[in-house]
Amino acid sequence: MFFIKLRDLFKSYGPVMALNGLNLEVPKGSLYGLLGPNGAGKSTALRIICTLLSPDSGHVEVGGHNVLFEEKETRRRLGYVAQDVAIDKILTGRELLELQGDLYHLDKKYKRRRIEELIERLDMHEWIDRRCGSFSGGMKRRLDLSSGLLHEPELLILDEPTVGLDIESRSVIWGLLKELRNKETTILLSSHYLEEVDELADEMAIIDKGKVIASGKPDDLKKELGGDRVTLRVREFSDEVEAESVKKLIKNINGVSNVVVNQTQGYSLNFLVQSNDVISNLSGHLSKENFEVFALSHSRPSLDDVYLQATGKTLMDAELELAGKRDFKLENKKSMR
């Protein structure tokens, strides 16, 4: 049974296409991860599910309710922790939770019990009665998460919940999310941290340029690659012509598959091998065509390899590419003033 269903979801911001026919199904009671770089469309999709944003077109369903026509019922069922923490600096942490409980119209006894439970579980005793303006990033994130959980929602939506957090705060949040999953709370977690999705998610989807390009259980997606990952360079900085020549050679070697040229990393080649014997014989194959091994790494498949196979670049490459485009636009705006 799917608790969230997205069908053919489109959303544009002027000339920018944020969602480009997004399709997604999240099983009830699962912790589902959305993996992708900043700008891939993750936050836009989450805001639409939370009724904070309207799509240009498409169907959105939560718990059997059409989100676009049943906003009140949808909001009653979910808790939302946004990427940017918005906390009143004057109120204490406890006062903020009291206010949040009143906004949910919670019974006073139930509200106080829930506040104490969350203070205990998220280890907030020492600072909960201080003003929020004095809180660190980790404290604010724990308090924000508590606000989203106060009414015990069926669905918890988290947008980059651990960005910039210290190890202790991240560990506390991970532990709580695992407990909620075991209690069959449906959790939709957006992240660009590979290890976070790999550690927490029952199932996941990789989003790139506003659409799902791969989905399934993390371990299954890695196994589907069918071998160990090898990254090869025949010189420190190759060009496209040389990389394509090496790619053509490697593709014909028995036991090699899924060869990808990574342009953003000096035209290195990434591919899968079925055994260590293939790696041992690789140098000989290259020497026959007057190529040498400048650098070679060998590892078990990771989610970054899944992303690389689907997009032709690593997640870090995608982040850097998007950051470069943003910087370029900012420079152009400055030059036009």
Side-chain angles (χ1 to χ4, degrees), residues 225-302:
L225 291 175
D228 288 354
R229 170 63 60 190
V230 173
T231 299
L232 168 71
R233 290 188 181 194
V234 295
R235 69 175 70 241
E236 186 173 4
F237 298 105
S238 292
D239 57 26
E240 185 175 3
V241 174
E242 183 175 59
E244 288 298 328
S245 297
V246 179
K247 178 181 178 180
K248 184 177 180 181
L249 168 64
I250 293 175
K251 284 178 66 175
N252 293 324
I253 298 174
N254 189 33
V256 171
S257 61
N258 301 81
V259 184
V260 175
V261 175
N262 192 338
Q263 298 182 18
T264 58
Q265 291 187 353
Y267 288 97
S268 63
L269 287 103
N270 295 270
F271 51 94
L272 298 172
V273 296
Q274 295 177 1
S275 69
N276 289 334
D277 292 340
V278 178
I279 299 175
S280 301
N281 298 328
L282 185 60
S283 181
H285 287 286
L286 291 169
S287 295
K288 289 179 181 178
E289 300 297 327
N290 296 318
F291 292 114
E292 300 295 331
V293 176
F294 174 79
L296 184 145
S297 63
H298 173 210
S299 62
R300 297 295 298 168
S302 67

XYZ file of all heavy atoms in Angstrom, residues 225-302:
607
model
N 24.163 -3.015 -10.294
C 25.311 -2.579 -11.082
C 26.125 -3.765 -11.585
O 26.790 -3.690 -12.615
C 26.195 -1.644 -10.252
C 25.594 -0.270 -9.930
C 26.515 0.509 -9.010
C 25.347 0.527 -11.201
N 26.110 -4.873 -10.828
C 26.680 -6.122 -11.317
C 28.179 -6.274 -11.224
O 28.773 -7.010 -12.017
N 28.838 -5.630 -10.284
C 30.282 -5.810 -10.140
C 30.896 -4.742 -9.259
O 30.190 -3.944 -8.638
N 32.224 -4.737 -9.195
C 32.947 -3.722 -8.437
C 33.232 -2.511 -9.322
O 33.383 -2.625 -10.539
C 34.273 -4.284 -7.916
C 34.077 -5.271 -6.789
O 32.915 -5.424 -6.340
O 35.061 -5.890 -6.358
N 33.330 -1.357 -8.681
C 33.552 -0.113 -9.410
C 35.039 0.162 -9.574
O 35.822 0.033 -8.630
C 32.891 1.039 -8.655
C 33.227 2.430 -9.141
C 32.754 2.691 -10.566
N 31.313 2.544 -10.701
C 30.691 2.526 -11.870
N 31.395 2.600 -12.992
N 29.377 2.395 -11.926
N 35.442 0.534 -10.788
C 36.827 0.914 -11.083
C 36.829 2.300 -11.714
O 36.005 2.596 -12.588
C 37.502 -0.092 -12.042
C 38.881 0.419 -12.464
C 37.616 -1.460 -11.388
N 37.729 3.146 -11.247
C 37.945 4.461 -11.854
C 39.361 4.492 -12.421
O 40.322 4.189 -11.722
C 37.775 5.593 -10.830
O 36.444 5.552 -10.314
C 38.008 6.953 -11.476
N 39.477 4.833 -13.684
C 40.757 4.768 -14.398
C 41.088 6.104 -15.048
O 40.217 6.765 -15.621
C 40.690 3.681 -15.482
C 41.820 3.656 -16.518
C 43.122 3.193 -15.881
C 41.435 2.776 -17.701
N 42.379 6.464 -14.968
C 42.902 7.586 -15.745
C 44.144 7.110 -16.484
O 45.015 6.479 -15.891
C 43.285 8.757 -14.836
C 42.109 9.477 -14.199
C 42.561 10.731 -13.492
N 41.476 11.423 -12.850
C 41.548 12.667 -12.385
N 42.678 13.335 -12.507
N 40.522 13.232 -11.788
N 44.219 7.466 -17.764
C 45.403 7.092 -18.532
C 46.426 8.228 -18.548
O 47.557 8.042 -18.975
C 45.030 6.696 -19.981
C 44.183 5.436 -19.979
C 44.312 7.834 -20.695
N 46.008 9.401 -18.098
C 46.908 10.517 -17.856
C 46.212 11.453 -16.882
O 45.026 11.319 -16.616
C 47.295 11.239 -19.153
C 46.157 11.995 -19.794
C 46.607 12.807 -21.011
N 46.974 11.949 -22.137
C 48.183 11.922 -22.667
N 49.145 12.690 -22.157
N 48.442 11.146 -23.696
N 46.960 12.416 -16.338
C 46.362 13.281 -15.317
C 45.176 14.058 -15.870
O 44.135 14.169 -15.230
C 47.410 14.242 -14.760
C 46.882 15.071 -13.598
C 47.960 15.900 -12.925
O 49.113 15.878 -13.416
O 47.651 16.560 -11.912
N 45.326 14.606 -17.069
C 44.230 15.339 -17.705
C 44.092 14.859 -19.143
O 44.881 15.252 -20.010
C 44.486 16.854 -17.673
C 44.581 17.413 -16.283
C 45.816 17.756 -15.753
C 43.441 17.574 -15.503
C 45.903 18.281 -14.467
C 43.530 18.077 -14.218
C 44.760 18.432 -13.693
N 43.090 14.028 -19.383
C 42.819 13.566 -20.737
C 41.879 14.555 -21.421
O 41.341 15.468 -20.790
C 42.154 12.187 -20.708
O 43.042 11.206 -20.236
N 41.693 14.360 -22.731
C 40.671 15.136 -23.424
C 39.568 14.182 -23.871
O 39.646 12.963 -23.675
C 41.260 15.904 -24.610
C 41.951 14.992 -25.610
O 41.591 13.789 -25.696
O 42.878 15.462 -26.307
N 38.534 14.730 -24.439
C 37.369 13.932 -24.807
C 37.711 12.863 -25.843
O 37.246 11.726 -25.753
C 36.273 14.847 -25.356
C 34.967 14.110 -25.658
C 33.868 15.060 -26.080
O 34.127 16.279 -26.194
O 32.738 14.581 -26.312
N 38.535 13.207 -26.811
C 38.894 12.256 -27.871
C 39.632 11.055 -27.281
O 39.325 9.897 -27.599
C 39.762 12.949 -28.948
C 40.244 11.918 -29.969
C 38.968 14.049 -29.634
N 40.613 11.330 -26.428
C 41.369 10.248 -25.821
C 40.475 9.385 -24.928
O 40.566 8.148 -24.953
C 42.519 10.822 -25.000
C 43.419 9.746 -24.393
C 44.621 10.343 -23.690
O 44.419 11.139 -22.745
O 45.752 10.029 -24.091
N 39.613 10.024 -24.147
C 38.725 9.278 -23.252
C 37.802 8.356 -24.034
O 37.568 7.206 -23.639
C 37.907 10.249 -22.400
N 37.276 8.843 -25.152
C 36.378 8.011 -25.958
C 37.126 6.835 -26.592
O 36.569 5.743 -26.748
C 35.712 8.861 -27.043
C 34.665 9.835 -26.518
C 33.496 9.139 -25.832
O 33.157 8.010 -26.237
O 32.927 9.729 -24.899
N 38.402 7.047 -26.939
C 39.213 5.962 -27.496
C 39.432 4.867 -26.451
O 39.320 3.669 -26.746
C 40.562 6.497 -27.989
O 40.395 7.418 -29.030
N 39.747 5.286 -25.217
C 39.953 4.320 -24.141
C 38.643 3.616 -23.812
O 38.612 2.407 -23.555
C 40.524 5.023 -22.888
C 40.708 4.016 -21.761
C 41.862 5.686 -23.213
N 37.562 4.362 -23.833
C 36.243 3.772 -23.559
C 35.927 2.662 -24.574
O 35.454 1.582 -24.205
C 35.163 4.851 -23.613
C 33.751 4.322 -23.397
C 32.715 5.451 -23.477
C 31.304 4.902 -23.321
N 30.291 5.999 -23.401
N 36.195 2.933 -25.829
C 35.937 1.947 -26.887
C 36.749 0.678 -26.660
O 36.261 -0.446 -26.851
C 36.270 2.562 -28.248
C 35.954 1.660 -29.424
C 36.245 2.377 -30.738
C 35.922 1.464 -31.920
N 36.223 2.149 -33.221
N 38.002 0.851 -26.217
C 38.872 -0.295 -25.948
C 38.364 -1.097 -24.751
O 38.247 -2.331 -24.812
C 40.290 0.200 -25.679
C 41.286 -0.814 -25.109
C 41.534 -1.934 -26.117
C 42.594 -0.125 -24.727
N 38.054 -0.406 -23.673
C 37.651 -1.085 -22.437
C 36.331 -1.822 -22.599
O 36.131 -2.911 -22.043
C 37.569 -0.055 -21.279
C 38.963 0.466 -20.947
C 36.939 -0.664 -20.035
C 38.969 1.568 -19.914
N 35.417 -1.254 -23.381
C 34.098 -1.879 -23.574
C 34.207 -3.267 -24.188
O 33.332 -4.117 -23.991
C 33.222 -0.992 -24.468
C 32.655 0.232 -23.746
C 31.846 1.101 -24.695
C 30.585 0.390 -25.178
N 29.748 1.297 -26.008
N 35.279 -3.514 -24.916
C 35.452 -4.802 -25.594
C 36.178 -5.837 -24.743
O 36.394 -6.969 -25.195
C 36.208 -4.597 -26.912
C 35.387 -3.809 -27.923
O 34.176 -3.965 -27.993
N 36.051 -2.946 -28.681
N 36.585 -5.459 -23.524
C 37.260 -6.408 -22.627
C 36.229 -7.263 -21.925
O 35.257 -6.742 -21.352
C 38.131 -5.661 -21.597
C 39.227 -4.853 -22.301
C 38.753 -6.639 -20.612
C 40.036 -3.985 -21.350
N 36.408 -8.571 -21.952
C 35.474 -9.484 -21.304
C 35.456 -9.246 -19.791
O 36.502 -9.174 -19.149
C 35.888 -10.931 -21.593
C 34.836 -11.923 -21.140
O 33.642 -11.631 -21.185
N 35.266 -13.090 -20.708
N 34.258 -9.096 -19.215
C 34.133 -8.864 -17.770
C 34.006 -7.406 -17.393
O 33.910 -7.078 -16.207
N 34.010 -6.505 -18.386
C 33.845 -5.074 -18.143
C 32.470 -4.641 -18.649
O 32.019 -5.062 -19.714
C 34.942 -4.254 -18.859
C 34.631 -2.759 -18.782
C 36.299 -4.536 -18.245
N 31.798 -3.794 -17.878
C 30.486 -3.302 -18.297
C 30.250 -1.897 -17.755
O 30.991 -1.404 -16.907
C 29.372 -4.236 -17.785
O 29.375 -4.294 -16.363
N 29.206 -1.260 -18.279
C 28.750 0.049 -17.801
C 29.879 1.098 -17.783
O 30.119 1.751 -16.770
C 28.147 -0.067 -16.396
C 26.966 -1.012 -16.345
O 27.148 -2.226 -16.278
N 25.769 -0.469 -16.371
N 30.540 1.263 -18.899
C 31.648 2.227 -18.988
C 31.086 3.635 -19.170
O 30.296 3.893 -20.080
C 32.593 1.886 -20.154
C 33.782 2.838 -20.152
C 33.068 0.447 -20.059
N 31.515 4.550 -18.295
C 31.050 5.939 -18.339
C 32.261 6.860 -18.321
O 33.182 6.663 -17.535
C 30.140 6.265 -17.136
C 29.762 7.740 -17.137
C 28.888 5.400 -17.156
N 32.256 7.882 -19.175
C 33.297 8.912 -19.164
C 32.841 10.036 -18.247
O 31.777 10.632 -18.452
C 33.566 9.460 -20.579
C 34.573 10.617 -20.514
C 34.081 8.369 -21.496
N 33.631 10.327 -17.227
C 33.307 11.393 -16.282
C 34.051 12.663 -16.684
O 35.214 12.850 -16.338
C 33.687 10.961 -14.860
C 33.126 11.893 -13.805
O 32.823 13.037 -14.091
N 32.990 11.390 -12.593
N 33.362 13.548 -17.386
C 33.996 14.751 -17.921
C 34.479 15.694 -16.827
O 35.502 16.367 -16.976
C 33.013 15.494 -18.823
C 32.578 14.693 -20.044
C 31.637 15.474 -20.932
O 31.549 16.695 -20.834
N 30.917 14.786 -21.799
N 33.717 15.768 -15.734
C 34.046 16.731 -14.680
C 35.243 16.311 -13.844
O 35.725 17.081 -13.020
C 32.841 16.955 -13.753
O 32.446 15.707 -13.180
C 31.680 17.553 -14.511
N 35.732 15.099 -14.036
C 36.920 14.638 -13.316
C 38.033 14.277 -14.310
O 38.573 13.183 -14.317
C 36.587 13.440 -12.432
C 35.687 13.810 -11.257
C 35.493 12.670 -10.285
O 35.919 11.548 -10.514
N 34.844 12.956 -9.180
N 38.340 15.237 -15.160
C 39.442 15.075 -16.094
C 39.256 13.967 -17.101
O 40.221 13.340 -17.536
N 38.020 13.720 -17.497
C 37.696 12.655 -18.450
C 38.222 11.297 -17.974
O 38.774 10.514 -18.754
C 38.249 12.983 -19.844
C 37.482 14.084 -20.532
C 37.943 15.391 -20.501
C 36.290 13.822 -21.197
C 37.240 16.421 -21.117
C 35.579 14.844 -21.811
C 36.057 16.126 -21.776
O 35.345 17.134 -22.373
N 38.037 11.047 -16.694
C 38.353 9.711 -16.172
C 37.279 8.740 -16.641
O 36.185 9.146 -17.064
C 38.418 9.731 -14.644
O 37.155 10.085 -14.093
N 37.589 7.449 -16.558
C 36.632 6.426 -16.971
C 36.191 5.630 -15.761
O 37.007 5.213 -14.941
C 37.251 5.500 -18.024
C 37.391 6.166 -19.396
C 38.827 6.576 -19.621
C 36.903 5.252 -20.496
N 34.891 5.442 -15.644
C 34.310 4.645 -14.568
C 33.608 3.448 -15.181
O 32.843 3.589 -16.140
C 33.304 5.477 -13.773
C 33.951 6.630 -13.044
O 34.366 6.507 -11.913
N 34.052 7.774 -13.722
N 33.864 2.268 -14.627
C 33.244 1.061 -15.168
C 33.168 -0.019 -14.096
O 33.728 0.112 -13.002
C 34.007 0.550 -16.399
C 35.493 0.398 -16.208
C 36.036 -0.825 -15.823
C 36.349 1.467 -16.424
C 37.406 -0.973 -15.648
C 37.721 1.329 -16.254
C 38.249 0.115 -15.862
N 32.445 -1.086 -14.423
C 32.277 -2.210 -13.515
C 33.078 -3.403 -14.006
O 33.188 -3.632 -15.221
C 30.802 -2.603 -13.412
C 29.860 -1.545 -12.853
C 28.418 -2.006 -12.991
C 30.171 -1.259 -11.396
N 33.627 -4.157 -13.049
C 34.349 -5.388 -13.398
C 33.752 -6.548 -12.607
O 33.333 -6.374 -11.466
C 35.865 -5.279 -13.102
C 36.494 -4.213 -13.974
C 36.128 -4.988 -11.635
N 33.713 -7.721 -13.220
C 33.112 -8.883 -12.576
C 34.091 -9.660 -11.709
O 33.681 -10.465 -10.879
C 32.507 -9.797 -13.648
C 31.356 -9.152 -14.399
C 30.810 -10.038 -15.501
O 31.280 -11.160 -15.712
N 29.828 -9.535 -16.234
N 35.405 -9.423 -11.880
C 36.391 -10.138 -11.063
C 37.689 -9.345 -11.013
O 37.937 -8.455 -11.838
C 36.668 -11.527 -11.642
O 37.362 -11.428 -12.872
N 38.539 -9.689 -10.033
C 39.845 -9.020 -9.899
C 40.774 -9.356 -11.061
O 41.716 -8.603 -11.345
C 40.502 -9.420 -8.582
C 39.802 -8.812 -7.386
O 39.177 -7.767 -7.498
N 39.884 -9.465 -6.243
N 40.545 -10.495 -11.718
C 41.374 -10.875 -12.866
C 41.294 -9.835 -13.981
O 42.274 -9.591 -14.700
C 40.940 -12.240 -13.410
C 41.258 -13.368 -12.436
O 42.128 -13.158 -11.561
O 40.636 -14.435 -12.534
N 40.123 -9.228 -14.129
C 39.948 -8.213 -15.173
C 40.877 -7.035 -14.902
O 41.510 -6.497 -15.817
C 38.483 -7.739 -15.227
C 38.320 -6.639 -16.283
C 37.544 -8.894 -15.525
N 40.974 -6.638 -13.635
C 41.838 -5.516 -13.268
C 43.305 -5.871 -13.509
O 44.092 -5.062 -14.003
C 41.621 -5.131 -11.793
C 40.164 -4.692 -11.582
C 42.562 -4.003 -11.381
C 39.812 -4.415 -10.150
N 43.655 -7.104 -13.162
C 45.047 -7.550 -13.347
C 45.458 -7.511 -14.807
O 46.612 -7.209 -15.132
C 45.199 -8.980 -12.805
O 44.869 -9.049 -11.435
N 44.541 -7.815 -15.697
C 44.857 -7.866 -17.132
C 44.647 -6.526 -17.843
O 44.952 -6.403 -19.036
C 43.990 -8.932 -17.813
C 44.264 -10.324 -17.274
O 45.394 -10.631 -16.889
N 43.242 -11.165 -17.233
N 44.105 -5.550 -17.104
C 43.750 -4.278 -17.728
C 44.975 -3.558 -18.302
O 44.932 -3.030 -19.421
C 43.061 -3.373 -16.697
C 42.506 -2.053 -17.200
C 41.454 -2.272 -18.275
C 41.909 -1.259 -16.039
N 46.070 -3.568 -17.554
C 47.277 -2.871 -18.002
C 47.779 -3.411 -19.331
O 48.196 -2.649 -20.213
C 48.372 -2.996 -16.938
O 49.539 -2.314 -17.337
N 47.717 -4.724 -19.489
C 48.164 -5.332 -20.739
C 47.322 -4.909 -21.921
O 47.851 -4.598 -23.010
N 46.014 -4.872 -21.731
C 45.107 -4.440 -22.809
C 45.402 -2.997 -23.217
O 45.401 -2.669 -24.416
C 43.646 -4.553 -22.349
C 43.139 -5.957 -22.263
N 42.841 -6.704 -23.377
C 42.867 -6.743 -21.194
C 42.406 -7.903 -23.002
N 42.415 -7.950 -21.679
N 45.668 -2.146 -22.233
C 45.926 -0.740 -22.528
C 47.270 -0.542 -23.225
O 47.387 0.266 -24.158
C 45.890 0.075 -21.233
C 44.527 0.219 -20.552
C 44.679 0.820 -19.160
C 43.593 1.088 -21.394
N 48.291 -1.291 -22.784
C 49.630 -1.160 -23.366
C 49.649 -1.502 -24.843
O 50.382 -0.891 -25.632
C 50.615 -2.054 -22.620
O 50.771 -1.625 -21.287
N 48.849 -2.474 -25.243
C 48.793 -2.869 -26.653
C 48.348 -1.718 -27.548
O 48.686 -1.661 -28.735
C 47.845 -4.058 -26.827
C 48.379 -5.362 -26.266
C 47.378 -6.489 -26.465
C 47.908 -7.793 -25.885
N 46.925 -8.904 -26.037
N 47.565 -0.803 -26.963
C 47.070 0.353 -27.730
C 47.804 1.648 -27.345
O 47.313 2.745 -27.577
C 45.566 0.526 -27.501
C 44.730 -0.667 -27.919
C 44.817 -0.933 -29.413
O 44.951 0.061 -30.176
O 44.746 -2.101 -29.813
N 48.979 1.464 -26.705
C 49.845 2.593 -26.329
C 49.223 3.525 -25.280
O 49.453 4.747 -25.279
C 50.234 3.408 -27.574
C 51.057 2.604 -28.553
O 51.955 1.854 -28.157
N 50.734 2.734 -29.833
N 48.427 2.935 -24.378
C 47.907 3.673 -23.231
C 48.532 3.101 -21.964
O 48.805 1.905 -21.875
C 46.380 3.534 -23.123
C 45.624 4.205 -24.232
C 44.886 3.451 -25.140
C 45.642 5.589 -24.367
C 44.176 4.053 -26.162
C 44.933 6.204 -25.401
C 44.206 5.445 -26.290
N 48.754 3.972 -20.977
C 49.291 3.541 -19.691
C 48.297 3.854 -18.579
O 47.417 4.701 -18.740
C 50.633 4.243 -19.402
C 51.713 3.961 -20.425
C 52.130 2.492 -20.451
O 52.021 1.841 -19.388
O 52.554 2.020 -21.527
N 48.455 3.176 -17.461
C 47.606 3.446 -16.299
C 48.249 4.551 -15.470
O 49.283 4.342 -14.832
C 47.420 2.174 -15.437
C 46.606 2.509 -14.180
C 46.737 1.078 -16.239
N 47.642 5.735 -15.487
C 48.155 6.834 -14.667
C 47.636 6.709 -13.227
O 48.381 6.896 -12.258
C 47.717 8.175 -15.255
C 48.070 9.358 -14.397
C 49.354 9.869 -14.389
C 47.109 9.949 -13.576
C 49.682 10.944 -13.588
C 47.430 11.028 -12.765
C 48.719 11.526 -12.773
N 46.337 6.377 -13.078
C 45.739 6.199 -11.746
C 44.569 5.238 -11.856
O 43.829 5.249 -12.849
C 45.280 7.538 -11.184
N 44.426 4.395 -10.840
C 43.332 3.418 -10.843
C 42.864 3.181 -9.411
O 43.672 2.994 -8.502
C 43.787 2.100 -11.484
C 42.730 1.012 -11.654
C 42.983 0.226 -12.945
C 42.732 0.037 -10.468
N 41.554 3.215 -9.200
C 40.985 2.892 -7.888
C 39.910 1.830 -8.057
O 39.240 1.764 -9.093
C 40.400 4.140 -7.228
O 39.327 4.666 -7.984
N 39.759 1.020 -7.018
C 38.856 -0.134 -7.070
C 38.055 -0.162 -5.773
O 38.626 -0.074 -4.685
C 39.690 -1.407 -7.240
C 38.895 -2.676 -7.153
N 39.442 -3.846 -6.681
C 37.598 -2.959 -7.457
C 38.523 -4.795 -6.718
N 37.395 -4.274 -7.180
N 36.725 -0.257 -5.866
C 35.904 -0.241 -4.650
C 34.600 -1.000 -4.873
O 34.206 -1.264 -6.021
C 35.585 1.200 -4.241
O 34.835 1.849 -5.253
N 33.952 -1.322 -3.759
C 32.619 -1.912 -3.837
C 31.634 -0.840 -4.296
O 31.840 0.357 -4.042
C 32.184 -2.451 -2.476
C 33.055 -3.567 -1.949
C 32.959 -4.807 -2.820
N 31.603 -5.338 -2.849
C 31.190 -6.268 -3.707
N 32.027 -6.731 -4.633
N 29.960 -6.720 -3.653
N 30.549 -1.201 -4.963
C 29.586 -0.196 -5.446
C 28.960 0.587 -4.289
O 28.716 0.041 -3.214
C 28.523 -1.049 -6.156
C 29.202 -2.322 -6.498
C 30.181 -2.568 -5.399
N 28.732 1.865 -4.520
C 28.079 2.732 -3.548
C 26.895 3.417 -4.229
O 26.695 3.294 -5.447
C 29.054 3.791 -3.029
O 29.386 4.693 -4.076
